């Protein structure tokens, strides 16, 4: 199907016919009637099991409005019964929050504790395959909220129990954001709202009915008494025909305005969600488009009257029974000429089933309304096939990131995949990886958007191809997202990644992977070697949090908070060790200079210090008794010295690699006869060698001052007098700390190995860089340094010249052993007769031999 081609089928009547062919509607209404009748016994719901299907019916005899005159208040809905709703949805800035009717939510909350345990017991029963939750009138709204809670709960425990909600004449429940959230969770198919042709109840909340609150309360009382028993309806306060007309007109006017386009339209506070099952005496049709639902509500109510709109709320039993009988006695639906196309035929059936076929003024608007719900573009199956092709096209981007990971694992710095990207420079390699990261994110966001727009098959998130592809993408790319988040310091502004920075697509992919079907053997399979990708895609975010906890431990003075921090640290330590023991991490986690390895080393040192503290009871008895510990400037200085020592050692390794690269660049430039640039490479190498000597000196100094700091701590532990010597030691430590910081700033500008390539390139940017470096080094290097550099250049040049000479043969060639065809050695003096020369050679005339030689001297 082309992108702009419409669906050839109109399925609203077909879907309704299918639902009617099942016992779902008849059984649900039977239970609803019993629940309404049992309201006198103060029973708000009934439960009945039919084989593997359990029906839960909520009574419609409940009062949601009370004496509150405002019937249209909305309140936010984030969770129900402690279970978070809409897990895949995170509100964007300025986006409308999910909100529901305040009184209906309060009513549900008051009943929640009564049925929560019973429903949990039902879904925990292995015999339970499906749960059908139903309700009439206000009981339908309660059933919808109960279904939302149960869907969220089952999703959190990855249960296979299916849930269906069937309501009869239920009022609207939430705003447009509520409707969209249900659609994004792909829960719309779990709701079937049965609405009769004339019933005013499902349409009430479209209009601002606050001025008619008194009449509305009388109407609810009439409905409730009638549901309990037809005889009780006589006891209700009767509403006059004028009041009925006022209520009917108010709803009709707002419904009509809501269906208009442009400036004539009015904003709608409440929006429908799920599937609407419109029933009439002629049949039924099923619609799921919110705009189409609103228009059909208006068209069908426009053929009614005030009294009929109120009485129709009590006739759902008649509609269900009649439609069930129609399924047994199939009528000839096509009384007129059969249309040429399948779509037009389906449209005719839908109009007849809606009960509008005899209303000439409503037929054309109804057809136009149903056409707006017609699916345009490719079918979900074709979209899935196109996506599979698109997936193959983005696979090279994923492969390039895999190559980058392998390259990081092989580097001498031993930082690993995560830390290499976190501290990346501006090289072409890292830029390409970052661009690929964005391209892959765009592709997967598009997959999720198509899924939420119902443009893909409903089971695509259950197909192994897409589950595995999304999981691999998540494990490979999310560590890069985490590195970007912490590398740019976003955690300082927003908070840690797992709570405040994680993209919604990763949460959805987590659910896909969790809900996948796996065999017991696959679940318990042990690994024989480390994973190629760490199986917890948020592992590095947890490492960053653990590093933050470790820093807090060093400075925290509150003993309660300190104990809580240690609990968190120990829990993460156990979790990480379990992953490592089960080989569920990749090699980069265990790299020598990875964030995790550094954290483990810091934790070990902190534990050693904690153990040493326990060996000084004279000074630390107050600390052990619970008194707040005092963190001194010396303690902080020692911690900073440790960090400096580790970083200087890392920079030392990087600088060695850069120096070797500069030397190789000089060799290559000499071979290319580019003397000026070869000398520039040697000048950079010389400057970096001097810097390396300074790093060695700084590292030795840091080691010495660290030892001084430890002595100072021990002196403080034994309460020695803090004399001038101790103060002097403090000054030396802090001065060394400052010098070390300056050293690291100087080194960071020199360890970018990608700058070596700029010496080799002939681009304008590279030449500008070469000129800049030449000017800087000209000021730094002395005359002696210049002489050493020139001498090294000459040595390299001579070495390369010798290397480029051809090799001396070490064996006699076989060709030399062959017989050479050389002329005969003369046996006579030059003055003797030429005639004596041998004439035996074939092909030479003897007379020619007697000719004088013009070159011979007489």
């Amino acid at each position: 199907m082309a992108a702009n081609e419409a669906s050839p089928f109109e399925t609203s009547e077909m879907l309704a016919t299918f639902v009617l062919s099942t016992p779902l509607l008849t059984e649900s209404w039977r239970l609803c009637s019993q629940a309404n009748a049992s309201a006198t016994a103060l029973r708000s719901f009934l439960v009945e099991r039919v084989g593997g299907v359990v029906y839960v019916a909520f009574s419609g005899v409940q009062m949601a409005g009370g004496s509150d005159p405002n019937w249209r208040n909305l309140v936010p809905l984030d969770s129900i019964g402690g279970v978070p709703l809409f897990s895949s949805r995170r509100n964007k800035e300025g986006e409308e929050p999910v909100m529901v009717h305040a009184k209906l939510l309060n009513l549900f909350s008051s009943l929640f504790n009564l049925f929560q345990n019973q429903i949990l017991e039902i879904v925990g029963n292995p015999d339970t395959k499906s749960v059908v939750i139903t309700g009439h009138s206000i009981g339908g709204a309660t059933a919808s909220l109960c279904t939302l809670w149960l869907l969220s709960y089952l999703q959190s425990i990855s249960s296979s129990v299916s849930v269906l909600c069937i309501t009869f004449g239920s009022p609207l429940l939430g705003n447009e954001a509520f409707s969209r959230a249900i659609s994004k969770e792909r829960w719309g198919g779990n709701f079937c709202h049965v609405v009769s042709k004339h019933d005013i109840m499902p349409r009430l909340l479209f209009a601002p009915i606050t001025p008619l609150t008194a009449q509305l309360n009388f109407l609810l009382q009439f409905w409730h008494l009638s549901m309990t028993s037809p005889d009780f309806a006589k006891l209700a306060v009767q509403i006059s025909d004028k009041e009925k007309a006022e209520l009917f007109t108010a709803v009709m006017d707002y419904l009509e305005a809501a269906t208009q386009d442009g400036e004539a339209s009015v904003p709608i506070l409440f929006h429908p969600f799920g599937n609407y099952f419109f029933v009439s005496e002629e049949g039924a049709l099923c619609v799921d488009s919110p705009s189409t639902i609103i228009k059909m509500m208006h068209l069908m109510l426009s053929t009614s009257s005030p009294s009929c709109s109120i009485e129709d709320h009590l006739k759902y039993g008649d509609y269900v029974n009649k439609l069930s009988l129609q399924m047994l006695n199939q009528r000839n639906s096509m009384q007129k000429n059969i249309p040429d196309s399948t779509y037009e035929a389906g449209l005719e059936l839908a109009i007849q089933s809606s009960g509008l076929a005899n209303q000439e003024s409503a037929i054309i608007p109804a057809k136009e309304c149903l056409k707006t719900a017609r699916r345009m573009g490719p079918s979900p199956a074709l979209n899935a096939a196109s996506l599979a092709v698109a997936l193959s096209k983005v696979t090279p981007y994923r492969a390039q990131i895999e190559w980058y990971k392998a390259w990081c694992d092989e580097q001498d710095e031993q930082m690993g995949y995560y830390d290499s990207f976190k501290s990346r420079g501006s090289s072409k390699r890292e830029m390409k990886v970052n661009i690929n990261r964005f391209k892959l994110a765009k592709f997967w966001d598009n997959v999720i958007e198509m899924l939420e727009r119902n443009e893909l098959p409903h089971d695509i998130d259950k197909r192994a191809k897409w589950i595995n592809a999304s999981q691999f993408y998540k494990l490979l790319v999310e560590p890069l997202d985490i590195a970007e988040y912490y590398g740019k310091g976003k955690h300082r502004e927003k908070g840690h990644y797992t709570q405040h920075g994680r993209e919604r697509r990763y949460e959805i992919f987590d659910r896909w992977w969790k809900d996948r079907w796996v065999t017991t053997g696959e679940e318990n399979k042990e690994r024989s070697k480390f994973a190629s990708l760490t199986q917890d895609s948020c592992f590095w975010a947890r490492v960053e949090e653990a590093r933050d906890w470790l820093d807090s431990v060093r400075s925290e003075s509150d003993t309660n908070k300190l104990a809580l921090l240690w609990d968190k640290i120990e829990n993460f330590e156990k979790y990480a060790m379990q992953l490592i023991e089960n080989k569920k991490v990749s090699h980069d986690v265990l790299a020598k200079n990875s964030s995790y390895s550094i954290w483990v080393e810091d934790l070990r040192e902190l534990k050693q210090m904690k153990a040493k503290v326990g060996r000084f009871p004279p000074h630390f008895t107050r600390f052990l008794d619970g008194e707040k510990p005092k963190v001194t400037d010396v303690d902080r200085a020692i911690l900073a010295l440790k960090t400096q020592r580790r970083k200087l050692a890392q920079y030392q390794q990087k600088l060695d690699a850069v120096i070797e690269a500069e030397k190789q660049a000089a060799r290559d430039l000499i071979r290319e006869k580019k003397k000026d640039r070869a000398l520039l490479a040697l000048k950079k190498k010389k400057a970096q060698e001097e810097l390396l000597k300074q790093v060695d000196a700084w590292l030795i100094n840091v080691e010495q001052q660290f030892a001084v700091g430890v002595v100072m701590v021990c002196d403080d532990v034994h309460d020695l007098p803090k004399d001038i010597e101790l103060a002097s030691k403090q000054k030396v430590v802090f001065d060394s700390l400052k010098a070390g910081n300056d050293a690291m700033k100087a080194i960071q500008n020199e360890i970018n190995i990608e700058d070596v390539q700029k010496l080799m390139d002939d681009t304008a940017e590279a030449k500008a860089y070469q000129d800049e470096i030449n000017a800087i080094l000209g000021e730094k290097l002395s005359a002696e340094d210049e002489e050493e550099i020139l001498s090294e250049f000459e040595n390299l040049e001579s070495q390369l010249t010798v290397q480029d000479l051809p090799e001396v043969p070490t064996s006699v060639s076989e060709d030399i052993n062959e017989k050479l065809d050389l002329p005969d050695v003369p046996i006579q003096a030059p003055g003797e007769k030429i005639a004596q020369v041998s004439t035996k050679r074939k092909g030479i005339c003897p007379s020619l031999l007697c000719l004088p030689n013009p070159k011979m001297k007489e």
Side-chain angles (χ1 to χ4, degrees):
M1 186 183 295
N4 58 352
E5 187 178 349
S7 169
F9 299 103
E10 210 300 314
T11 58
S12 57
E13 193 273 343
M14 188 191 311
L15 290 173
T17 303
F18 171 73
V19 174
L20 288 170
S21 67
T22 71
L24 289 171
L25 288 185
T26 53
E27 288 297 317
S28 296
W29 178 252
R30 180 178 63 81
L31 264 292
C32 283
S33 300
Q34 292 181 13
N36 290 339
S38 64
T40 53
L42 300 179
R43 296 179 65 184
S44 57
F45 68 97
L46 294 177
V47 177
E48 184 175 303
R49 178 181 289 274
V50 181
V53 181
V54 177
Y55 288 83
V56 180
F58 287 92
S59 171
V61 185
Q62 303 174 52
M63 202 66 179
S67 59
D68 189 346
N70 195 342
W71 260 80
R72 302 176 84 233
N73 275 347
L74 287 167
V75 293
L77 180 68
D78 298 320
S79 63
I80 293 179
V83 178
L85 298 178
F86 314 123
S87 59
S88 65
R89 186 179 190 272
R90 183 180 288 122
N91 283 342
K92 298 179 181 178
E93 188 175 351
E95 189 178 27
E96 183 184 18
V98 171
M99 304 184 79
V100 295
H101 193 284
K103 292 298 179 181
L104 292 176
L105 181 61
N106 287 340
L107 175 63
F108 170 78
S109 300
S110 67
L111 301 174
F112 183 72
N113 291 332
L114 297 176
F115 62 77
Q116 178 186 16
N117 293 333
Q118 191 168 350
I119 290 181
L120 290 179
E121 184 179 345
I122 289 170
V123 297
N125 189 330
D127 295 332
T128 302
K129 306 301 179 186
S130 303
V131 177
V132 178
I133 303 175
T134 185
H136 177 214
S137 192
I138 291 176
T142 306
S144 295
L145 289 170
C146 179
T147 302
L148 282 176
W149 162 74
L150 187 55
L151 284 170
S152 295
Y153 172 76
L154 293 176
Q155 180 176 278
S156 67
I157 63 171
S158 300
S159 174
S160 61
V161 175
S162 63
V163 181
L164 177 64
C165 177
I166 300 177
T167 68
F168 298 90
S170 173
L172 295 171
L173 186 56
N175 62 353
E176 187 177 7
F178 176 72
S179 177
R180 284 199 307 268
I182 290 175
S183 178
K184 286 184 177 181
E185 292 286 349
R186 299 176 66 78
W187 289 342
N190 296 85
F191 293 89
C192 178
H193 303 291
V194 182
V195 175
S196 68
K197 182 178 179 181
H198 302 146
D199 186 8
I200 197 173
M201 180 59 155
R203 302 162 168 95
L204 270 176
L205 291 178
F206 282 122
I209 51 177
T210 303
L212 304 173
T213 301
Q215 293 91 319
L216 187 58
N217 285 331
F218 291 145
L219 179 60
L220 287 175
Q221 185 183 27
F222 166 74
W223 278 337
H224 291 166
L225 290 172
S226 300
M227 291 176 201
T228 306
S229 173
D231 296 332
F232 290 172
K234 300 175 183 178
L235 303 176
V237 177
Q238 298 298 315
I239 305 175
S240 66
D241 292 340
K242 181 182 177 181
E243 291 172 333
K244 292 179 182 178
E246 288 177 353
L247 192 62
F248 181 82
T249 303
V251 173
M252 271 297 302
D253 288 346
Y254 264 84
L255 262 176
E256 184 175 6
T259 59
Q260 300 299 317
D261 297 325
E263 297 180 357
S265 178
V266 296
I268 302 174
L269 191 60
F270 290 85
H271 277 253
F273 65 94
N275 296 279
Y276 269 66
F277 196 87
F278 291 103
V279 295
S280 69
E281 293 180 350
E282 288 78 17
L285 68 156
C286 187
V287 183
D288 63 356
S289 169
S291 60
T292 304
I293 291 169
I294 294 171
K295 289 178 181 178
M296 288 302 296
M297 280 187 168
H298 168 250
L299 287 171
M300 298 178 87
L301 187 64
S302 64
T303 63
S304 182
S305 64
S307 296
C308 185
S309 66
I310 292 174
E311 294 168 359
D312 221 38
H313 186 60
L314 303 173
K315 293 183 177 180
Y316 282 97
D318 297 337
Y319 284 118
V320 171
N321 293 331
K322 186 170 184 178
L323 292 175
S324 299
L325 289 174
Q326 283 182 1
M327 283 301 303
L328 297 177
N329 296 309
Q330 282 293 339
R331 67 192 189 286
N332 183 10
S333 300
M334 289 292 184
Q335 302 294 337
K336 302 178 182 179
N337 294 331
I338 299 177
D340 295 333
S341 70
T342 55
Y343 180 78
E344 290 295 332
L347 204 58
E348 288 292 339
L349 286 173
I351 295 299
Q352 289 186 27
S353 298
S354 67
L356 298 176
N358 297 324
Q359 305 290 330
E360 292 294 335
S361 61
I363 291 177
I364 294 177
K367 284 186 177 182
E368 293 300 321
C369 172
L370 291 173
K371 285 179 180 179
T372 60
R374 187 179 186 181
R375 191 191 73 243
M376 304 297 293
S379 67
L382 287 177
N383 282 332
S386 300
L387 265 186
V389 175
L391 177 63
S392 66
K393 291 181 179 179
V394 300
T395 299
Y397 304 144
R398 192 182 71 185
Q400 289 174 8
I401 296 179
E402 289 182 73
W403 294 335
Y404 172 73
K405 181 181 184 302
W407 177 83
C408 291
D409 291 342
E410 293 172 358
Q411 296 307 296
D412 295 335
E413 291 86 351
Q414 300 183 48
M415 295 175 66
Y417 177 51
Y418 170 78
D419 290 281
S420 295
F421 190 77
K422 181 181 175 183
S423 58
R424 70 187 186 278
S426 56
S427 70
K428 293 180 182 178
R429 182 186 293 106
E430 272 85 5
M431 288 178 64
K432 186 69 175 175
V433 168
N434 204 31
I435 291 171
N436 290 346
R437 182 172 68 93
F438 283 113
K439 287 180 178 178
L440 289 170
K442 184 178 180 181
F443 170 79
W444 284 107
D445 283 341
N446 181 54
V447 172
I448 292 170
E449 288 172 7
M450 292 180 69
L451 190 63
E452 291 174 347
R453 293 195 301 264
N454 294 316
E455 295 175 4
L456 295 174
H458 71 281
D459 64 339
I460 197 168
D461 56 344
K462 302 291 189 296
R463 298 181 183 180
K465 175 186 180 71
W466 292 99
I467 293 174
N468 294 331
S470 62
Q471 176 72 358
F472 189 87
Y473 159 74
K474 182 187 70 171
L475 297 181
L476 179 68
V477 178
E478 189 167 14
L480 300 183
D481 288 1
I482 298 170
E484 180 81 357
Y485 189 83
Y486 284 96
K488 291 190 174 180
K490 293 181 181 178
H491 61 291
R492 299 188 189 96
E493 303 171 7
K494 300 180 179 180
H496 282 293
Y497 174 86
T498 50
Q499 291 83 26
H500 305 284
R502 199 177 191 215
E503 292 291 341
R504 187 169 69 93
R505 60 178 171 274
Y506 295 129
E507 297 174 359
I508 294 173
F509 296 156
D510 278 343
R511 191 166 72 239
W512 288 11
W513 185 253
K514 185 178 179 182
D515 293 346
R516 78 193 191 286
W517 184 85
V518 292
T519 61
T520 306
E522 184 181 352
E523 189 97 23
N524 301 325
K525 187 176 180 181
E526 293 185 2
R527 294 178 178 272
S528 58
K529 60 182 181 179
F530 284 109
S532 59
L533 295 169
T534 300
Q535 297 302 290
D536 179 4
S537 62
C538 286
F539 177 79
W540 292 110
R542 305 187 205 285
V543 171
E544 296 287 356
E545 288 189 52
R547 292 178 68 180
D548 192 35
W549 298 333
L550 217 55
D551 292 339
S552 299
V553 163
R554 296 185 180 106
S555 58
E556 184 56 62
S557 57
D558 188 308
T559 52
N560 293 328
K561 292 180 179 178
L562 201 60
L564 185 61
L565 286 168
W566 273 113
D567 285 342
K568 291 180 178 179
I569 289 170
E570 289 171 358
N571 288 336
F572 172 72
E573 183 184 21
K574 291 176 183 176
Y575 170 73
M577 288 305 300
Q578 186 177 6
L579 284 181
I580 294 170
E581 288 172 2
N582 294 332
K583 293 183 171 58
K584 291 185 177 182
V585 298
S586 60
H587 286 287
D588 64 309
V589 171
L590 304 175
K592 181 179 178 181
N593 295 315
S594 72
S595 292
Y596 175 71
S597 296
I598 292 171
W599 179 84
V600 170
E601 180 64 22
D602 288 345
L603 178 62
R604 184 184 63 79
E605 292 179 357
L606 197 61
K607 286 184 174 180
Q608 286 178 351
M609 187 176 292
K610 186 180 178 183
K612 289 178 182 178
V613 166
R615 292 200 288 269
F616 299 105
H619 179 75
F620 285 95
T621 50
R622 297 190 306 275
F623 172 75
L624 295 174
D625 289 340
E627 188 173 320
K628 293 182 180 180
K630 181 180 179 181
V631 181
T632 66
D633 291 339
V634 175
D635 295 329
R636 296 188 180 93
I638 290 174
L639 175 60
L641 283 169
K642 284 183 181 180
T643 305
Q644 273 191 5
R645 179 176 61 181
R646 182 176 65 246
K647 288 186 177 180
L648 282 172
Q650 292 175 0
Y651 290 155
Q652 197 175 34
Q653 292 179 352
K654 291 183 178 181
L655 206 51
D656 281 331
V658 172
I659 289 172
E660 184 58 36
E662 298 284 6
K663 190 172 182 179
Q664 183 59 44
R667 292 192 188 98
D668 295 339
L669 289 166
I670 290 173
R671 284 195 178 96
E672 296 174 11
K673 307 300 183 184
K674 297 177 180 178
K675 180 178 178 180
D676 292 341
R677 278 194 263 175
L679 285 171
L680 181 58
L682 292 175
K683 286 179 182 180
K684 279 196 70 180
K685 172 179 167 291
K686 180 66 176 177
Q688 286 159 349
E689 284 174 341
E690 292 298 322
L691 185 58
L692 188 58
K693 291 178 183 177
Q694 295 179 30
V695 172
D696 292 335
W698 282 323
L699 196 54
I700 293 170
N701 187 41
V702 167
E703 294 283 356
Q704 292 173 346
Q705 301 315 317
F706 178 72
V708 171
V710 172
V711 170
M712 290 165 59
V713 171
C714 292
D715 290 346
D716 188 34
V717 166
H718 291 87
D719 282 330
L720 292 178
K722 292 188 177 180
D723 52 10
I724 298 174
E725 182 182 357
L726 187 58
S728 176
K729 288 180 181 178
Q730 283 184 344
K731 186 177 185 305
V732 170
V733 169
F734 292 126
D735 288 346
S736 175
L737 191 59
K738 184 177 182 302
N741 288 331
D742 295 338
M744 286 190 291
K745 289 178 182 177
I747 298 168
Q748 284 174 340
N749 297 327
E750 296 292 336
I751 59 175
N752 190 359
I753 200 166
E754 303 296 337
D755 288 343
V756 179
Q757 184 61 36
K758 295 180 182 178
L759 297 176
M760 310 291 292
D761 294 341
D762 292 319
T763 62
E765 180 185 357
K767 288 178 179 178
Y769 170 79
Q770 293 160 15
D771 294 339
E772 180 185 358
I773 292 297
N774 203 14
I776 294 172
L777 293 177
E779 298 176 359
K780 287 185 176 181
L781 298 175
S782 64
E784 291 81 3
D785 293 332
E786 295 281 359
E787 290 180 5
E788 289 182 18
I789 291 167
L790 190 58
S791 176
E792 185 176 4
F793 173 82
E794 293 171 352
N795 289 335
L796 280 176
E797 191 175 33
S798 61
Q799 290 173 13
L800 292 173
T801 303
V802 172
Q803 290 176 6
D804 293 339
L805 289 175
E807 297 181 357
V808 178
T810 58
S811 60
V812 179
S813 174
E814 294 179 359
D815 295 338
I816 296 176
N817 296 327
E818 295 179 1
K819 186 176 180 180
L820 300 177
D821 188 12
L822 297 174
D824 297 335
V825 178
I827 58 175
Q828 291 182 348
E832 296 183 7
K833 294 180 179 180
I834 302 175
Q836 294 179 1
V837 177
S838 175
T839 60
K840 292 181 180 179
R841 296 183 183 177
K842 295 180 181 180
I844 300 177
C845 180
S847 61
L848 291 178
L849 297 175
C850 299
L851 293 174
N853 189 345
K855 295 182 180 180
M856 186 176 293
K857 293 181 181 180
E858 294 181 355

